[in-house]
Amino acid sequence: MSKGMAHVRRTSFREPEAEKADTSSGRKSVRKAVAPVADGDLGFGTNVSGTGNRLIDENGSFNVERSGLPFQAFYNIYHSLMIMPWTKFIAIVLGGYLVGNIIFAFFYVACGDDALHGWDSDHTMLSKYWTAFFFSAQTVTTVGYGHIAPNNMMANILAALESLIGLLAFALATGLLYGKFSRPTARIIFSDHALISPYQGGRALMFRMANARSNQLIDTEVLVVASQVVNTNGKMSRSYDPLKLERKAINFFPLSWTVVHPIDAESPLWGMDIGMMEQKDVEILIQFKGIDDTFAQTVHARSSYKHHEIRFGGKFRPIYNDGYRGKTTVLHLDKIDDYDEVSLPEEEV
């Protein structure tokens, strides 16, 4: 399943400061303590107002709801329409078209029995309404077949007003349609789960991602941060630790990319099991960015894994093989989350 995409700025967050002991859940381990860097604020804040909620939703958007701004919907409507899913956008356009014609049809009927040329005197009210509805649809789209026409002054004024509204509305809808088609975006799909897997005699956190489009992505980078709730001098706060990766950048991204974070004594995940991850409300935050060769512009994607989406003792299966029909390699994107259960080596204490 795919997880979403959006824009965020890449920064460094924390750096080693000193050794400290972690005795949570009765397990004793040693790892580097970390301290925030002045310019490394993730933007989520360190205060803990509750646990369980995601910082980044599965679709890549920030899990933040804004309130207290008057008429917010009116001055954010263009941006909202640009970023909303295609299905919702099309539903709004069709819904607005139908509702507008329904309302104008009522107005035409209210203009009197002589409002439209083409009404017969013996027409029922329902028949008149449907005639007015289809006349409205022809007027707002400036089609004008001619067999029905406004007949009195009020109907002519109403038809002129509807024609103006229709021209403006369709111009706006066309601009939005072009903008949504032409806006460069990443279509990166992530594995449904992150895995704790065997790695070079120890353990590593791994997740997999791939480009769902046929466009070429180059100079790609990934930044992974572990968020967890910590007790600092009796006060609960949220920390953000950047995870050291086996490889944080690749020049070309034609296949899948398994991102690997070795879990060693300096890792913030050292000594954790699934129970400790739940207790600390661990969330793995991911930012991907690369250059879309089609538009020569930078595109971004975000995702995250909560503790219940992390599987201990798994190893990803290969998802590409020798091709056919003249292709060198076949990438099976529907198998991006396929993995086998394996045993994990014990961590050194």
Side-chain angles (χ1 to χ4, degrees):
M1 297 176 67
S2 62
K3 299 188 179 182
M5 54 215 85
H7 173 79
V8 70
R9 194 173 185 180
R10 182 178 186 269
T11 56
S12 59
F13 298 99
R14 295 177 180 266
E15 61 184 5
E17 185 184 57
E19 299 278 342
K20 73 175 181 180
D22 183 0
T23 57
S24 302
S25 300
R27 298 190 62 172
K28 188 175 182 180
S29 61
V30 177
R31 73 174 188 85
K32 298 256 187 172
V34 290
V37 181
D39 63 347
D41 191 353
L42 253 186
F44 291 109
T46 59
N47 292 334
V48 178
S49 58
T51 59
N53 294 327
R54 304 183 80 104
L55 298 176
I56 297 179
D57 285 329
E58 292 183 351
N59 63 0
S61 62
F62 298 125
N63 190 17
V64 177
E65 181 179 346
R66 291 170 174 82
S67 64
L69 295 175
F71 307 109
Q72 179 184 7
F74 292 99
Y75 57 72
N76 278 341
I77 187 170
Y78 177 80
H79 181 264
S80 299
L81 289 170
M82 283 293 294
I83 65 175
M84 71 173 47
W86 273 104
T87 52
K88 189 175 181 180
F89 174 78
I90 293 173
I92 289 177
V93 171
L94 292 178
Y97 176 75
L98 290 175
V99 170
N101 286 320
I102 289 172
I103 293 174
F104 272 101
F106 276 113
F107 288 155
Y108 285 119
V109 172
C111 288
D113 292 336
D114 62 341
L116 297 179
H117 178 73
W119 274 349
D120 294 333
S121 57
D122 59 345
H123 276 187
T124 64
M125 185 60 66
L126 181 61
S127 176
K128 288 182 177 181
Y129 177 79
W130 281 116
T131 300
F133 176 85
F134 289 115
F135 171 72
S136 172
Q138 297 165 20
T139 302
V140 76
T141 56
T142 66
V143 173
Y145 291 113
H147 65 288
I148 303 175
N151 194 43
N152 61 23
M153 180 59 70
M154 286 302 299
N156 276 282
I157 293 175
L158 192 60
L161 177 63
E162 185 177 13
S163 298
L164 176 62
I165 293 175
L167 287 172
L168 296 176
F170 280 104
L172 177 61
T174 302
L176 286 167
L177 191 65
Y178 172 77
K180 289 179 73 67
F181 266 114
S182 61
R183 185 168 64 98
T185 56
R187 184 70 169 86
I188 305 299
I189 58 175
F190 297 82
S191 56
D192 295 337
H193 302 95
L195 305 180
I196 304 296
S197 306
Y199 177 77
Q200 295 183 355
R203 300 182 179 187
L205 171 76
M206 302 183 185
F207 62 89
R208 192 155 58 183
M209 56 186 182
N211 183 13
R213 291 180 176 152
S214 58
N215 62 327
Q216 308 301 315
L217 296 179
I218 59 176
D219 293 338
T220 57
E221 300 179 26
V222 65
L223 177 69
V224 184
V225 177
S227 168
Q228 60 179 303
V229 175
V230 296
N231 189 332
T232 306
N233 298 325
K235 180 181 179 181
M236 303 301 293
S237 62
R238 184 170 289 278
S239 69
Y240 303 94
D241 302 303
L243 300 184
K244 183 179 179 180
L245 304 178
E246 174 197 45
R247 183 180 292 106
K248 67 177 182 179
I250 56 176
N251 292 332
F252 309 112
F253 190 26
L255 301 173
S256 63
W257 182 2
T258 300
V259 180
V260 178
H261 162 63
I263 301 177
D264 54 23
E266 295 184 1
S267 170
L269 304 180
W270 174 259
M272 284 194 184
D273 55 19
I274 188 61
M276 192 182 304
M277 285 188 175
E278 183 177 4
Q279 177 186 349
K280 291 177 174 289
D281 193 31
V282 171
E283 182 173 354
I284 307 300
L285 310 175
I286 305 160
Q287 177 205 328
F288 168 91
K289 75 174 182 178
I291 298 177
D292 186 337
D293 193 47
T294 306
F295 300 97
Q297 292 188 8
T298 302
V299 292
H300 302 80
R302 288 188 301 266
S303 189
S304 73
Y305 294 99
K306 289 288 286 185
H307 50 79
H308 61 271
E309 295 169 324
I310 300 175
R311 298 289 183 264
F312 279 73
K315 182 180 180 181
F316 285 117
R317 298 173 183 169
I319 62 171
Y320 54 86
N321 53 27
D322 292 338
Y324 58 95
R325 298 177 185 173
K327 295 291 185 181
T328 304
T329 305
V330 177
L331 184 63
H332 301 278
L333 297 179
D334 57 331
K335 299 180 180 179
I336 193 169
D337 193 54
D338 289 359
Y339 63 91
D340 296 312
E341 294 185 359
V342 296
S343 57
L344 289 174
E346 292 294 329
E347 288 182 318
E348 296 180 4
V349 179

